[in-house]
């Protein structure tokens, strides 16, 4: 086995760990607010969107809680395919938020998207049943 093949087999673990750490930290920040706010003001649309989410009273805790749960699952290497499915809609919102409302964070959003897509591909066998057109209950 060549050294490149040996290293390549560790890439899903590295990606899973990085993604898990990111979501655990940012999810906890949603509750504990330990990451300082940026000094530059966000664009008006981005501010309006975030304020709308906060004003619901439940969306921010739901998103932060989901991020913490997914982070823990990814770091613990437990229920990884489920964790990737749970976090997918949040990643879509992160990417579209930065695409349309706050382009300055687009690089990090694309990194998260790339990690998600790579991990989904790495665990693709676990999703086979989800893409079965017709199935019967157990």
């Amino acid at each position: 086995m060549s050294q490149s093949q040996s290293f390549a087999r560790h890439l899903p673990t590295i990606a899973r760990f990085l993604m898990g750490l990111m979501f655990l930290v940012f999810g906890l920040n949603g509750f504990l607010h330990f990451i300082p706010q940026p000094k530059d003001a966000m664009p008006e649309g981005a501010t309006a969107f975030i304020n709308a989410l906060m004003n619901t009273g439940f969306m921010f805790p739901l998103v932060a809680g989901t991020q913490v749960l997914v982070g823990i699952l990814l770091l613990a290497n437990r229920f990884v395919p489920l964790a990737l499915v749970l976090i997918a809609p949040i990643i879509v919102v992160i990417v579209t938020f930065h695409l349309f409302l706050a382009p300055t964070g687009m690089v990090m959003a694309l990194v998260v998207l790339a990690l998600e897509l790579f991990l989904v591909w790495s665990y693709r066998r676990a999703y086979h049943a989800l893409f079965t057109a017709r199935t019967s209950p157990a």
Side-chain angles (χ1 to χ4, degrees):
M1 182 184 308
S2 74
Q3 193 171 9
S4 64
Q5 288 175 329
S6 175
F7 178 73
R9 72 172 200 215
H10 296 292
L11 288 177
T13 302
I14 293 167
R16 181 180 50 76
F17 182 80
L18 288 174
M19 195 166 153
L21 191 60
M22 272 194 288
F23 280 114
L24 180 61
V25 169
F26 286 110
L28 287 174
N29 185 62
F31 294 111
L32 305 174
H33 310 289
F34 53 84
I35 297 175
Q37 293 294 321
K39 294 188 184 351
D40 299 333
M42 283 194 300
E44 187 178 328
T47 302
F49 178 75
I50 288 175
N51 286 338
L53 290 178
M54 288 187 346
N55 288 337
T56 65
F58 72 91
M59 279 305 294
F60 253 46
L62 177 64
V63 170
T66 302
Q67 289 177 333
V68 169
L69 174 64
V70 166
I72 290 169
L73 291 174
L74 292 175
L75 289 172
N77 196 22
R78 297 291 182 252
F79 303 103
V80 173
L82 175 62
L84 295 173
V85 168
L86 289 174
I87 203 66
I90 294 173
I91 292 174
V92 169
V93 171
I94 290 169
V95 170
T96 55
F97 174 84
H98 288 293
L99 182 64
F100 295 110
L101 300 175
T104 55
M106 194 61 186
V107 171
M108 184 57 109
L110 291 176
V111 167
V112 170
L113 178 62
L115 288 171
E116 170 80 358
L117 293 174
F118 175 71
L119 286 171
V120 166
W121 178 255
S122 297
Y123 289 87
R124 64 190 174 273
R125 288 187 184 143
Y127 300 109
H128 179 74
L130 290 176
F131 296 102
T132 303
R134 289 186 181 253
T135 188
S136 57

